[in-house]
Amino acid sequence: MTKREAQHSGQKSQTRKITKKAKLAIEGSFTEVLLHDVKRLLAIRSLTTPNIENQAEEDLEVSVYTPPERFTEIEVRISELSSTGDGLGLSENSDHVYVVPFTLPGDVVQAKVVNYFASDHYTLTDFVKVLQPSGQRDDTRVKCQYFSRCSGCQFQMLSYTDQLTHKKTIIESAYKNFSNLPSKLVPDTGSTIGSPLQYGYRTKLTPHFDGPPGRHGRGPRKDGTERQGFTEVPPIGFMLKGMRRTIDIEDCPIGTDAVRLGLARERARVTNEISTYKRGATILLRESTTRKPQMSAEVAQIPLLDEVAKTGHIDGNTNGIDETSQTDLSGKDLVPPNAKFGEISVTNTNRNDDKSCITDSNAIATEYVDSFVFHNTAGSFFQNNNSILPRFTAYIRDHIIPPSSSIEKPIRYLIDAYCGSGLFTVTLSSLFYASIGIDISPASIASAHQNAKANNIANATFMAADASALFAEVTYPPEETVVVIDPPRKGCDDNFLRQLLGFGPRRVVYVSCNVHTQARDVGILVEGKDGCRYSLASLRGFDFFPQTSHVEGVAILDRVNEIEKEVIIQGVPDEISGGKATESIVQ
């Protein structure tokens, strides 16, 4: 139990001393995001408890809420949906918040008390059941038997239109809570662009299983006895919501068909080989595509998933080859003779895409984005929803060049920072005279070189650069350059942002899988440093992960020109302009 947790039983109402805690760096973590939503809800309900973070250093007297005992079940009416995807409900006196997963505003639910955080005025609970559904809830939409237990999805009972609307509010809240910018410097967020597929979209899954009892350590025990191996097949799947425990998952409907077949195959393999394992393992399931011209009107369709899930193979065959063609009642081939196990075929107007599932992290996976082809090691990062990538890259393409201006030189150069295997460098290269992809990973740069060659890109180069000197060898003129950044969830570090401001490109396109750290970093770019700062031109979300609370953010920023003059704006914080509140307009 941590210091911030109160005792869960035998507690009486009391008053205690709370000392202001040091403010942590913004990391966009679950707890950090949740706390902002909890405080907002309590503020709306006119909570009189002082805001600890904004008080002076002296101790504050705070009345401590008396919680129900741990693991007791309570009735909660959900007031709103958090950016974490959890429902938030108020206590009877509106002085405490219950966090209930798998719920929607208007739901009345039964929940089990799990953890109580006194100083932050909220309690984490487990969802038990719906007592009275809200108008938004439709449980017939749920397509997964593990929903409300597995930690993967939050919104299967919510219409897709409402999911997209909520994801827009997640971006708005992120910039309100983490950018440190006044609202007048943040443009309206555009409507979230949805995924063409809401199920069957994930091209990568990584289920796992835990090790046997007494698995810690290697080799024999101190007493000379061998460590116990597996005596039975453990659960193979994903984490149980709110607990460090794996739930057995036989099928995941947000995975592509090839990945789902791979899951069935790997579950069967682990079951057969479990005696050879001494510890737990993570299983890689990565879709790979082989594209070829369409040869005939009759094409292979998806093998029977139920059969594969039951047997681990097709029609009783365990050698990975289907020796006899399977047919359905219409006489069409379901699995072609000599097909690779788990391989399916998807037909478009003039081509067939053969989909297979790779489990070797060092093998090469191939993906297509429109007519572009990308080869990556299967264990490396690549966007996991291929269906939305054409829309996504088209949006970046349409917005990466700033509007033409008689006082600005045309944009001719692209820098793709955090370039990975070259998604943006390759798909955007035709817009520029020259482009360069930069990444700290030599393996990613090797893949990027290969992908540029595979797509006949002649004006792109790539280099592996240390994080402390990403722009050191770039010779492009900043006023003619656009920089695309797509960092990991933790966002950009201070060193990178200083380098970016020191280089000062004309436009920055910031793509992020964590809009909370994106908002933090954008606030730093708008504040600026050493004469370079940016204005935020647009914000928009892309739904790479339907049924979940995750949203990809795209922020477009333009450098504020030196020939622009400063005018006073009432109410803009001093930190935006170093003590002088300003905005810029062209003379």
Side-chain angles (χ1 to χ4, degrees), residues 542-558:
F542 284 78
D543 189 18
F544 274 75
F545 299 101
Q547 318 309 330
T548 79
S549 60
H550 298 290
V551 60
E552 194 93 358
V554 178
I556 310 292
L557 299 102
D558 290 321

Side-chain angles (χ1 to χ4, degrees), residues 558-579:
D558 290 321
R559 190 184 63 197
V560 175
N561 295 319
E562 294 180 359
I563 64 171
E564 296 172 350
K565 72 177 184 179
E566 296 177 334
V567 294
I568 300 297
I569 304 178
Q570 298 298 324
V572 178
D574 288 349
E575 61 265 23
I576 299 302
S577 57

Side-chain angles (χ1 to χ4, degrees), residues 396-414:
I396 302 297
R397 184 182 182 89
D398 291 343
H399 292 80
I400 196 166
I401 304 295
S404 59
S405 169
S406 59
I407 60 174
E408 290 283 343
K409 295 180 179 180
I411 295 293
R412 304 177 70 224
Y413 304 97
L414 167 69

Side-chain angles (χ1 to χ4, degrees), residues 130-376:
V130 176
L131 301 175
Q132 180 180 328
S134 74
Q136 287 184 294
R137 175 182 286 274
D138 182 355
D139 288 329
T140 65
R141 297 189 181 105
V142 176
K143 295 186 178 182
C144 179
Q145 61 179 311
Y146 308 103
F147 182 70
S148 78
R149 290 182 292 154
C150 175
S151 59
C153 294
Q154 295 82 45
F155 296 150
Q156 290 192 21
M157 71 299 201
L158 185 63
S159 75
Y160 194 53
T161 298
D162 288 342
Q163 290 185 40
L164 296 179
T165 298
H166 179 62
K167 294 186 181 191
K168 177 182 175 182
T169 68
I170 291 175
I171 297 175
E172 292 169 343
S173 296
Y175 277 78
K176 180 179 180 180
N177 295 333
F178 296 105
S179 72
N180 199 32
L181 296 175
S183 59
K184 62 181 63 181
L185 294 185
V186 180
D188 292 338
T189 303
S191 298
T192 307
I193 295 179
S195 170
L197 297 177
Q198 288 93 58
Y199 285 90
Y201 64 82
R202 281 202 69 129
T203 55
K204 180 182 178 182
L205 288 174
T206 52
H208 66 273
F209 59 92
D210 299 322
R215 63 188 180 275
H216 302 293
R218 299 183 179 183
R221 294 186 177 92
K222 291 182 178 180
D223 61 6
T225 61
E226 292 293 327
R227 296 183 183 277
Q228 182 181 4
F230 287 98
T231 58
E232 60 182 11
V233 179
I236 304 169
F238 305 108
M239 299 302 291
L240 188 65
K241 176 66 176 177
M243 299 185 70
R244 293 184 177 275
R245 195 169 79 220
T246 303
I247 181 174
D248 196 57
I249 303 290
E250 293 183 352
D251 185 29
C252 180
I254 65 172
T256 65
D257 290 312
V259 166
R260 293 170 72 186
L261 287 166
L263 174 59
R265 179 188 67 198
E266 289 302 294
R267 285 176 56 86
R269 180 188 62 78
V270 170
T271 297
N272 291 332
E273 300 175 359
I274 194 62
S275 62
T276 66
Y277 286 89
K278 302 301 181 184
R279 62 188 63 197
T282 296
I283 301 168
L284 172 66
L285 304 170
R286 178 74 176 268
E287 182 178 277
S288 184
T289 302
T290 300
R291 177 163 291 181
K292 56 188 179 182
Q294 184 174 339
M295 301 302 294
S296 66
E298 293 295 322
V299 297
Q301 300 297 318
I302 301 169
L304 295 174
L305 285 169
D306 288 343
E307 173 67 17
V308 177
K310 291 176 182 176
T311 66
H313 49 82
I314 299 172
D315 194 38
N317 177 38
T318 59
N319 63 4
I321 301 295
D322 182 39
E323 297 172 349
T324 58
S325 176
Q326 304 297 304
T327 60
D328 66 9
L329 295 178
S330 67
K332 292 183 178 180
D333 286 346
L334 289 176
V335 185
N338 300 321
K340 293 181 180 179
F341 176 84
E343 184 177 281
I344 65 171
S345 185
V346 178
T347 307
N348 292 291
T349 304
N350 57 359
R351 64 177 185 266
N352 289 344
D353 284 347
D354 289 339
K355 307 283 187 177
S356 59
C357 183
I358 292 176
T359 58
D360 180 355
S361 62
N362 294 315
I364 300 300
T366 299
E367 296 212 37
Y368 287 84
V369 181
D370 289 325
S371 60
F372 297 102
V373 61
F374 293 89
H375 306 290
N376 311 274

